[in-house]
């Protein structure tokens, strides 16, 4: 069945690859980009198969315009993929720059929360609503060491939000999950990362399109399998 999908941070990296695969499969993909020109360029690369839209996940005005656009164009949203993310500063908790940490939390954690809250009314209008949060193994509670304190904690917090949202939206049958793409060759992951963007996008695409019976809400996935928080 054709789904209406919103991907944040869709103009490059893993987000762009998710858009490419879902659009090629015939889904209605809305590619959110905080720089509209970059989004349109990415849309052109995908031969106009996606709708590029101006979406900075920490801009309340953008988020409302996107929600109104989706409401008017489709009347519902089936899948929200909270993919947008930043990583600044590599220091550990004892000496991390807390201004950097606040900035990371604003995008990676609050950004996903702001967008989710605005899209939930549209997800309620779907009979197969799902929120997929692009987290990281670096935020897993059993791996909180090795620098990058702000980034790690932003993903730990996103994982917590995933559980809360999943529990609170369970009655309404909206699935909420988090996932780790592994270490992927993108601007963020760097050239030395072992995984391709296709590999990084694969589980997100599966979580977006697999039968509901195959996905457990409120869980953390990697390579289609549930992993520990
Ligand atoms: N690469 C990895 O190894 C890896 C591992 C684990 C998790 N992840 C997660 O996977 C997601 C995608 O990462 P990636 O590797 O594809 O990174 P990337 O290549 O650096 O792309 C990040 C994307 O997020 C967008 N973005 C940043 N801040 C934004 C904001 N305020 N509003 C909207 N978009 C914003 C960027 O837009 P601009 O082009 O405008 O900057 C870009 O499109 C992130 O959440 C990341 O934490 C990545």
């Amino acid at each position: 069945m054709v789904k209406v999908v919103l991907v944040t941070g869709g103009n490059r990296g893993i987000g762009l690859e998710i858009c490419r695969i879902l659009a090629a499969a015939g889904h209605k993909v809305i590619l959110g980009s905080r720089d509209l020109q970059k989004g349109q360029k990415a849309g052109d690369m995908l031969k106009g198969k996606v709708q590029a839209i101006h979406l900075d996940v920490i801009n309340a005005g953008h988020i409302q315009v996107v929600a109104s656009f989706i409401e008017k164009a489709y009347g519902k949203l089936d899948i929200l993929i909270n993919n947008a993310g930043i990583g600044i500063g590599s220091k550990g908790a004892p000496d991390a720059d807390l201004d950097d940490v606040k900035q990371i939390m604003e995008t990676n954690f609050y950004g996903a929360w702001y967008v989710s809250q605005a899209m939930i009314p549209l997800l309620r209008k779907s009979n197969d609503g799902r929120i997929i949060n692009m987290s990281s193994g670096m935020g897993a509670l059993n791996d909180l060491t090795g620098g990058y304190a702000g980034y790690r904690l932003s993903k730990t917090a996103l994982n917590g939000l995933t559980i809360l949202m999943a529990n609170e939206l369970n009655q309404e049958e909206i699935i909420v999950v988090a996932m780790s793409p592994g270490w992927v060759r993108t601007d963020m992951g760097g050239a030395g990362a072992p995984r391709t963007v296709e590999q990084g996008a694969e589980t997100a695409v599966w979580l977006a399109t697999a039968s509901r019976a195959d996905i457990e809400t409120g869980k953390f996935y990697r390579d289609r399998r549930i992993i520990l928080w």
Side-chain angles (χ1 to χ4, degrees), residues 8-15 32-35 38 55-58 82-86 107-108 134-137 151 155 179-190 193 197:
T8 69
N11 58 288
R12 63 185 165 101
I14 299 168
S33 178
R34 68 172 156 176
D35 177 325
K38 285 191 198 169
L55 177 57
D56 183 329
V57 299
I58 58 175
N82 284 312
N83 167 78
I86 56 170
T107 299
N108 297 6
M134 189 60 75
S135 183
S136 166
Y151 180 79
K155 298 299 189 179
M179 64 158 282
S180 157
W183 184 17
V184 181
R185 279 195 298 285
T186 60
D187 293 341
M188 183 186 287
V197 280

